[in-house]
PDB file of all heavy atoms in Angstrom:
ATOM      1  N   ALA A  33       4.849   2.506  30.701  1.00 79.00           N
ATOM      2  CA  ALA A  33       4.779   3.537  31.734  1.00 79.00           C
ATOM      3  C   ALA A  33       3.637   3.229  32.697  1.00 79.00           C
ATOM      4  O   ALA A  33       3.844   3.430  33.954  1.00 79.00           O
ATOM      5  CB  ALA A  33       4.537   4.895  31.013  1.00 79.00           C
ATOM      6  N   THR A  34       2.548   2.730  32.204  1.00 82.00           N
ATOM      7  CA  THR A  34       1.482   2.480  33.096  1.00 82.00           C
ATOM      8  C   THR A  34       1.850   1.353  34.129  1.00 82.00           C
ATOM      9  O   THR A  34       1.521   1.435  35.258  1.00 82.00           O
ATOM     10  CB  THR A  34       0.182   2.124  32.324  1.00 82.00           C
ATOM     11  OG1 THR A  34      -0.026   3.159  31.334  1.00 82.00           O
ATOM     12  CG2 THR A  34      -0.940   1.857  33.195  1.00 82.00           C
ATOM     13  N   LEU A  37       4.285   2.794  36.607  1.00 86.00           N
ATOM     14  CA  LEU A  37       3.652   3.699  37.569  1.00 86.00           C
ATOM     15  C   LEU A  37       2.765   2.902  38.506  1.00 86.00           C
ATOM     16  O   LEU A  37       2.644   3.247  39.714  1.00 86.00           O
ATOM     17  CB  LEU A  37       2.870   4.739  36.816  1.00 86.00           C
ATOM     18  CG  LEU A  37       3.705   5.860  36.177  1.00 86.00           C
ATOM     19  CD1 LEU A  37       2.842   6.662  35.234  1.00 86.00           C
ATOM     20  CD2 LEU A  37       4.285   6.733  37.292  1.00 86.00           C
ATOM     21  N   LEU A  45      -1.397   6.159  45.740  1.00 90.00           N
ATOM     22  CA  LEU A  45      -2.528   6.897  45.064  1.00 90.00           C
ATOM     23  C   LEU A  45      -3.859   6.386  45.688  1.00 90.00           C
ATOM     24  O   LEU A  45      -4.799   7.168  45.900  1.00 90.00           O
ATOM     25  CB  LEU A  45      -2.527   6.673  43.614  1.00 90.00           C
ATOM     26  CG  LEU A  45      -1.355   7.438  42.884  1.00 90.00           C
ATOM     27  CD1 LEU A  45      -1.318   7.001  41.457  1.00 90.00           C
ATOM     28  CD2 LEU A  45      -1.525   8.920  42.980  1.00 90.00           C
ATOM     29  N   MET A  70      -4.803   8.081  32.018  1.00 86.00           N
ATOM     30  CA  MET A  70      -3.468   8.445  31.658  1.00 86.00           C
ATOM     31  C   MET A  70      -2.991   7.636  30.454  1.00 86.00           C
ATOM     32  O   MET A  70      -2.279   8.156  29.573  1.00 86.00           O
ATOM     33  CB  MET A  70      -2.541   8.167  32.819  1.00 86.00           C
ATOM     34  CG  MET A  70      -1.151   8.596  32.641  1.00 86.00           C
ATOM     35  SD  MET A  70      -0.008   7.708  33.657  1.00 86.00           S
ATOM     36  CE  MET A  70      -0.107   6.067  33.016  1.00 86.00           C
ATOM     37  N   TRP A  74      -1.905   9.185  26.707  1.00 80.00           N
ATOM     38  CA  TRP A  74      -0.431   9.169  26.804  1.00 80.00           C
ATOM     39  C   TRP A  74       0.217   9.944  25.669  1.00 80.00           C
ATOM     40  O   TRP A  74       1.293  10.500  25.863  1.00 80.00           O
ATOM     41  CB  TRP A  74       0.024   7.675  26.841  1.00 80.00           C
ATOM     42  CG  TRP A  74       1.526   7.608  27.093  1.00 80.00           C
ATOM     43  CD1 TRP A  74       2.462   7.337  26.109  1.00 80.00           C
ATOM     44  CD2 TRP A  74       2.196   7.780  28.348  1.00 80.00           C
ATOM     45  NE1 TRP A  74       3.721   7.328  26.724  1.00 80.00           N
ATOM     46  CE2 TRP A  74       3.620   7.610  28.007  1.00 80.00           C
ATOM     47  CE3 TRP A  74       1.759   8.062  29.626  1.00 80.00           C
ATOM     48  CZ2 TRP A  74       4.522   7.735  29.003  1.00 80.00           C
ATOM     49  CZ3 TRP A  74       2.750   8.222  30.611  1.00 80.00           C
ATOM     50  CH2 TRP A  74       4.100   8.010  30.286  1.00 80.00           C
ATOM     51  N   LEU A  77       0.589  13.439  26.311  1.00 74.00           N
ATOM     52  CA  LEU A  77       1.441  13.761  27.467  1.00 74.00           C
ATOM     53  C   LEU A  77       2.881  13.970  27.017  1.00 74.00           C
ATOM     54  O   LEU A  77       3.632  13.016  26.730  1.00 74.00           O
ATOM     55  CB  LEU A  77       1.396  12.681  28.469  1.00 74.00           C
ATOM     56  CG  LEU A  77       1.659  13.025  29.946  1.00 74.00           C
ATOM     57  CD1 LEU A  77       0.651  13.962  30.504  1.00 74.00           C
ATOM     58  CD2 LEU A  77       1.629  11.713  30.712  1.00 74.00           C
ATOM     59  N   ASP A  79       5.553  15.251  28.464  1.00 72.00           N
ATOM     60  CA  ASP A  79       6.649  14.907  29.391  1.00 72.00           C
ATOM     61  C   ASP A  79       6.199  13.716  30.201  1.00 72.00           C
ATOM     62  O   ASP A  79       5.312  13.816  31.006  1.00 72.00           O
ATOM     63  CB  ASP A  79       6.994  16.054  30.311  1.00 72.00           C
ATOM     64  CG  ASP A  79       8.159  15.847  31.149  1.00 72.00           C
ATOM     65  OD1 ASP A  79       8.711  14.666  31.029  1.00 72.00           O
ATOM     66  OD2 ASP A  79       8.535  16.679  31.909  1.00 72.00           O
ATOM     67  N   SER A  80       6.823  12.605  29.945  1.00 68.00           N
ATOM     68  CA  SER A  80       6.359  11.438  30.670  1.00 68.00           C
ATOM     69  C   SER A  80       6.728  11.435  32.131  1.00 68.00           C
ATOM     70  O   SER A  80       6.110  10.766  32.950  1.00 68.00           O
ATOM     71  CB  SER A  80       7.010  10.114  30.081  1.00 68.00           C
ATOM     72  OG  SER A  80       8.356  10.217  30.233  1.00 68.00           O
ATOM     73  N   GLY A  81       7.658  12.300  32.502  1.00 73.00           N
ATOM     74  CA  GLY A  81       7.988  12.441  33.856  1.00 73.00           C
ATOM     75  C   GLY A  81       6.879  13.115  34.694  1.00 73.00           C
ATOM     76  O   GLY A  81       6.905  12.972  35.907  1.00 73.00           O
ATOM     77  N   LYS A  82       5.975  13.630  33.963  1.00 79.00           N
ATOM     78  CA  LYS A  82       4.865  14.334  34.705  1.00 79.00           C
ATOM     79  C   LYS A  82       3.667  13.340  34.788  1.00 79.00           C
ATOM     80  O   LYS A  82       2.553  13.795  35.152  1.00 79.00           O
ATOM     81  CB  LYS A  82       4.433  15.534  33.979  1.00 79.00           C
ATOM     82  CG  LYS A  82       5.551  16.567  33.756  1.00 79.00           C
ATOM     83  CD  LYS A  82       5.995  17.112  35.062  1.00 79.00           C
ATOM     84  CE  LYS A  82       7.116  18.144  34.879  1.00 79.00           C
ATOM     85  NZ  LYS A  82       7.623  18.608  36.164  1.00 79.00           N
ATOM     86  N   ALA A  83       3.854  12.122  34.514  1.00 84.00           N
ATOM     87  CA  ALA A  83       2.753  11.201  34.486  1.00 84.00           C
ATOM     88  C   ALA A  83       2.204  11.013  35.889  1.00 84.00           C
ATOM     89  O   ALA A  83       0.983  10.948  36.123  1.00 84.00           O
ATOM     90  CB  ALA A  83       3.184   9.882  33.930  1.00 84.00           C
ATOM     91  N   LEU A  84       3.103  10.998  36.865  1.00 85.00           N
ATOM     92  CA  LEU A  84       2.644  10.833  38.248  1.00 85.00           C
ATOM     93  C   LEU A  84       1.850  12.067  38.634  1.00 85.00           C
ATOM     94  O   LEU A  84       0.853  11.984  39.372  1.00 85.00           O
ATOM     95  CB  LEU A  84       3.820  10.590  39.146  1.00 85.00           C
ATOM     96  CG  LEU A  84       3.536  10.470  40.575  1.00 85.00           C
ATOM     97  CD1 LEU A  84       2.551   9.340  40.859  1.00 85.00           C
ATOM     98  CD2 LEU A  84       4.757  10.399  41.433  1.00 85.00           C
ATOM     99  N   TRP A  85       2.326  13.162  38.189  1.00 85.00           N
ATOM    100  CA  TRP A  85       1.581  14.397  38.443  1.00 85.00           C
ATOM    101  C   TRP A  85       0.212  14.344  37.850  1.00 85.00           C
ATOM    102  O   TRP A  85      -0.803  14.723  38.533  1.00 85.00           O
ATOM    103  CB  TRP A  85       2.419  15.565  37.792  1.00 85.00           C
ATOM    104  CG  TRP A  85       1.990  16.903  38.304  1.00 85.00           C
ATOM    105  CD1 TRP A  85       1.125  17.779  37.763  1.00 85.00           C
ATOM    106  CD2 TRP A  85       2.502  17.539  39.464  1.00 85.00           C
ATOM    107  NE1 TRP A  85       1.030  18.883  38.499  1.00 85.00           N
ATOM    108  CE2 TRP A  85       1.841  18.765  39.564  1.00 85.00           C
ATOM    109  CE3 TRP A  85       3.419  17.121  40.438  1.00 85.00           C
ATOM    110  CZ2 TRP A  85       2.094  19.625  40.616  1.00 85.00           C
ATOM    111  CZ3 TRP A  85       3.600  18.014  41.464  1.00 85.00           C
ATOM    112  CH2 TRP A  85       2.940  19.241  41.534  1.00 85.00           C
ATOM    113  N   TYR A  86       0.170  13.943  36.633  1.00 86.00           N
ATOM    114  CA  TYR A  86      -1.156  13.736  35.954  1.00 86.00           C
ATOM    115  C   TYR A  86      -2.025  12.829  36.775  1.00 86.00           C
ATOM    116  O   TYR A  86      -3.238  13.103  37.027  1.00 86.00           O
ATOM    117  CB  TYR A  86      -0.890  13.187  34.581  1.00 86.00           C
ATOM    118  CG  TYR A  86      -2.090  12.970  33.754  1.00 86.00           C
ATOM    119  CD1 TYR A  86      -2.569  13.946  32.938  1.00 86.00           C
ATOM    120  CD2 TYR A  86      -2.800  11.791  33.766  1.00 86.00           C
ATOM    121  CE1 TYR A  86      -3.664  13.722  32.108  1.00 86.00           C
ATOM    122  CE2 TYR A  86      -3.913  11.555  33.028  1.00 86.00           C
ATOM    123  CZ  TYR A  86      -4.358  12.565  32.179  1.00 86.00           C
ATOM    124  OH  TYR A  86      -5.469  12.350  31.422  1.00 86.00           O
ATOM    125  N   LEU A  87      -1.524  11.756  37.230  1.00 88.00           N
ATOM    126  CA  LEU A  87      -2.250  10.731  37.980  1.00 88.00           C
ATOM    127  C   LEU A  87      -2.759  11.358  39.280  1.00 88.00           C
ATOM    128  O   LEU A  87      -3.973  11.184  39.658  1.00 88.00           O
ATOM    129  CB  LEU A  87      -1.431   9.494  38.287  1.00 88.00           C
ATOM    130  CG  LEU A  87      -1.266   8.470  37.195  1.00 88.00           C
ATOM    131  CD1 LEU A  87      -0.284   7.440  37.598  1.00 88.00           C
ATOM    132  CD2 LEU A  87      -2.618   7.862  36.927  1.00 88.00           C
ATOM    133  N   ARG A  88      -1.940  12.098  39.939  1.00 89.00           N
ATOM    134  CA  ARG A  88      -2.341  12.648  41.231  1.00 89.00           C
ATOM    135  C   ARG A  88      -3.440  13.674  41.096  1.00 89.00           C
ATOM    136  O   ARG A  88      -4.427  13.668  41.790  1.00 89.00           O
ATOM    137  CB  ARG A  88      -1.081  13.276  41.886  1.00 89.00           C
ATOM    138  CG  ARG A  88      -1.242  13.531  43.340  1.00 89.00           C
ATOM    139  CD  ARG A  88       0.029  14.070  43.885  1.00 89.00           C
ATOM    140  NE  ARG A  88       1.017  13.021  44.077  1.00 89.00           N
ATOM    141  CZ  ARG A  88       2.324  13.113  43.846  1.00 89.00           C
ATOM    142  NH1 ARG A  88       2.776  14.269  43.376  1.00 89.00           N
ATOM    143  NH2 ARG A  88       3.170  12.142  44.058  1.00 89.00           N
ATOM    144  N   GLN A  89      -3.311  14.492  40.045  1.00 88.00           N
ATOM    145  CA  GLN A  89      -4.385  15.436  39.794  1.00 88.00           C
ATOM    146  C   GLN A  89      -5.658  14.723  39.418  1.00 88.00           C
ATOM    147  O   GLN A  89      -6.765  15.172  39.827  1.00 88.00           O
ATOM    148  CB  GLN A  89      -3.923  16.393  38.645  1.00 88.00           C
ATOM    149  CG  GLN A  89      -2.884  17.372  39.079  1.00 88.00           C
ATOM    150  CD  GLN A  89      -2.568  18.315  37.944  1.00 88.00           C
ATOM    151  OE1 GLN A  89      -2.226  17.885  36.834  1.00 88.00           O
ATOM    152  NE2 GLN A  89      -2.615  19.647  38.194  1.00 88.00           N
ATOM    153  N   CYS A  90      -5.474  13.705  38.639  1.00 90.00           N
ATOM    154  CA  CYS A  90      -6.665  12.916  38.199  1.00 90.00           C
ATOM    155  C   CYS A  90      -7.347  12.326  39.429  1.00 90.00           C
ATOM    156  O   CYS A  90      -8.600  12.359  39.525  1.00 90.00           O
ATOM    157  CB  CYS A  90      -6.229  11.857  37.239  1.00 90.00           C
ATOM    158  SG  CYS A  90      -7.431  11.260  36.211  1.00 90.00           S
TER     159      CYS A  90
ATOM    160  N   ALA B 309       8.054   8.017  27.393  1.00 38.00           N
ATOM    161  CA  ALA B 309       7.304   9.173  26.876  1.00 38.00           C
ATOM    162  C   ALA B 309       8.053   9.903  25.872  1.00 38.00           C
ATOM    163  O   ALA B 309       7.499  10.796  25.235  1.00 38.00           O
ATOM    164  CB  ALA B 309       6.953  10.129  27.994  1.00 38.00           C
ATOM    165  N   PRO B 339      -0.271  17.606  33.745  1.00 43.00           N
ATOM    166  CA  PRO B 339       0.933  18.080  34.428  1.00 43.00           C
ATOM    167  C   PRO B 339       1.485  19.290  33.759  1.00 43.00           C
ATOM    168  O   PRO B 339       1.190  19.627  32.741  1.00 43.00           O
ATOM    169  CB  PRO B 339       1.851  16.875  34.307  1.00 43.00           C
ATOM    170  CG  PRO B 339       1.342  16.071  33.225  1.00 43.00           C
ATOM    171  CD  PRO B 339      -0.158  16.283  33.195  1.00 43.00           C
TER     172      PRO B 339
END
Side-chain angles (χ1 to χ4, degrees):
Chain A
T34 305
L37 284 169
L45 289 171
M70 184 203 68
W74 185 257
L77 202 64
D79 188 359
S80 64
K82 304 294 181 183
L84 178 60
W85 197 264
Y86 181 93
L87 279 174
R88 197 175 283 140
Q89 286 182 308
C90 203

